[in-house]
Amino acid sequence: MASSTVTSAQPDRPPRPNLAFRRLRGKRSPAEFAAAVRRAAREIGERVSCDARYVGRVEAGEIRCPNYAYERVFLHMFPGRTLTDLGFAPRSSVRGRQARTTGESRGAGEPYETYDTRDTHNTHDLYETHDNNEESDVLRRAFMTSGATVAAASLGPLALALDAAAAGRPTRRAGTGEAGALEEAVRRIRLLDDRHGADGLYRRAAAPLRTAYALLDAGASRQATADRLYTGAGELAISVGWLAHDSGRFDDARSHYAEALATARMNADAGLEAHAFCNMAFLARDAGRPREAVRAAQAAQRAARPLGSARLMSLLALREAGGWAGLADRVGCEQALVRAQTFFERGAAEADPEWMSFYGEAELEGLEAQCWSTLGDWPRAARHARRAADLQDPHFTRNLALYSAELADDLARGGRPDEAAGAGMRCLDLLGEVQSSRVHTMLAGTTRVLLPHRRASGVSAFLDRHGALPRPA
């Protein structure tokens, strides 16, 4: 897709390097400092997708003022300092802070300052025209939401971006602001899914996906922006596909994953292709098509091999192992599990994709537990599921519920009903925050296994509490 030539709008001033921030980094590499930022975020219950590229852009002056999440993290890391002390500009000086006109008010919990890569004063998009600032603000506010409940209820307004076309107004070419808003929408959906599960999100996520492909159709002012839009739209298709997948809508998920794969191939994006095949393998396993799962996982590995991420190769080997387990091929499964462990032990790298933030030792153990469970080795499955639950970062509430449900089921089928009831109770404790059809389905299966053991310690209480749950929609 060739980029179009546009008239350059010269910035008011060039980016000024943030020397104060660079001094605070000290002798740490950008990747090491980014890791420290992510650790600090976890300490205060925030989640930021900080990487070496983000640190470099801050130090280069491209990000003059961070979003509120990053602000809280930086002030936590450097107590007693202000944003100005850290080398950032006051919020009032960056674009998009002016009061809005009548009829356009700021919603509670929806600050205008939500996306970091557009917090510049005509400095980041040096080759973009700037007559579409108001429209870009509308897109960004539509893409951005704040707070788990508000965000879950507000994904739908992204469809507002389609109103211009529906009303016959000309659609402007997308710029870096729209690309950035699209990338942030993907992050926000992943964050909400990690915390709350897919059931409450899927129906609201179709609108942002339509918007993403409308932006693609409108074209971009630069090739680099077009590439970001293709990747962002593909990643969003995968995220929406996962919401469908986790809420039991397998046909919808398959369609979204196929859309992402087509987008990846149109743009020759190996990383996006590997991600799409990864999720297709997972879906095929869950849908009872294990041979397809193996083939999709192997295709993902071929796409991912040149990318240089051992952790990605580890996850893809686990996807393959799940397929072999579904085929009752214990040897093939064990060989894939060994590869997964070997790749995992090579450690993290800057080449690791941002979407893999969920993949750590807990997920490795949890996916291995699923393999042994499929093969009917309940004691071994329970051992790995217990370790997964013990290792899981509490931030990933949905995964913690999933591992607890897996453990309960493995213990029940392994003849340990009292321990299964205890694990089931811990899972039930999390269901106030998590809405996942996958977890509900697993617990329903566990209750059926435990029914003959109602007299065992704790089993009756678990069954009664599970029976009192509201039926998932």
Side-chain angles (χ1 to χ4, degrees), residues 379-395:
R380 200 165 183 177
R383 203 159 53 242
H384 287 282
R386 190 186 303 279
R387 184 162 169 75
D390 290 344
L391 289 169
Q392 183 57 59
D393 182 341
H395 164 80

Side-chain angles (χ1 to χ4, degrees), residues 74-129:
F74 291 150
L75 297 184
H76 171 68
M77 292 177 70
F78 305 107
R81 289 183 168 91
T82 65
L83 282 182
T84 305
D85 296 332
L86 302 181
F88 293 110
R91 293 200 181 279
S92 59
S93 71
V94 297
R95 189 175 66 190
R97 302 300 161 269
Q98 296 86 351
R100 264 46 181 180
T101 56
T102 303
E104 186 177 324
S105 60
R106 188 162 87 180
E110 188 180 7
Y112 294 126
E113 170 56 29
T114 51
Y115 179 62
D116 49 25
T117 65
R118 291 293 293 172
D119 290 339
T120 63
H121 187 73
N122 298 350
T123 61
H124 183 53
D125 44 350
L126 301 183
Y127 303 101
E128 306 282 63
T129 57

Side-chain angles (χ1 to χ4, degrees), residues 189-199 201 239 242-243 245-247 282 319 358 363 392-406 427 430-431 433-440 442:
I189 288 173
R190 289 173 183 158
L191 174 62
L192 292 170
D193 176 54
D194 289 339
R195 289 181 176 170
H196 304 287
D199 287 7
L201 294 173
S239 292
W242 166 248
L243 296 178
H245 181 173
D246 194 45
S247 55
F282 195 7
R319 294 285 187 247
F358 72 93
E363 181 73 1
Q392 183 57 59
D393 182 341
H395 164 80
F396 294 93
T397 315
R398 196 274 318 286
N399 279 6
L400 188 56
L402 180 65
Y403 303 148
S404 299
E406 176 72 36
C427 184
L430 297 167
L431 293 187
E433 301 177 54
V434 175
Q435 299 178 51
S436 171
S437 294
R438 175 187 301 271
V439 173
H440 280 284
M442 292 175 69

Side-chain angles (χ1 to χ4, degrees), residues 3-7 173 221:
S3 59
S4 300
T5 303
V6 296
T7 304
R173 289 182 177 273
S221 49

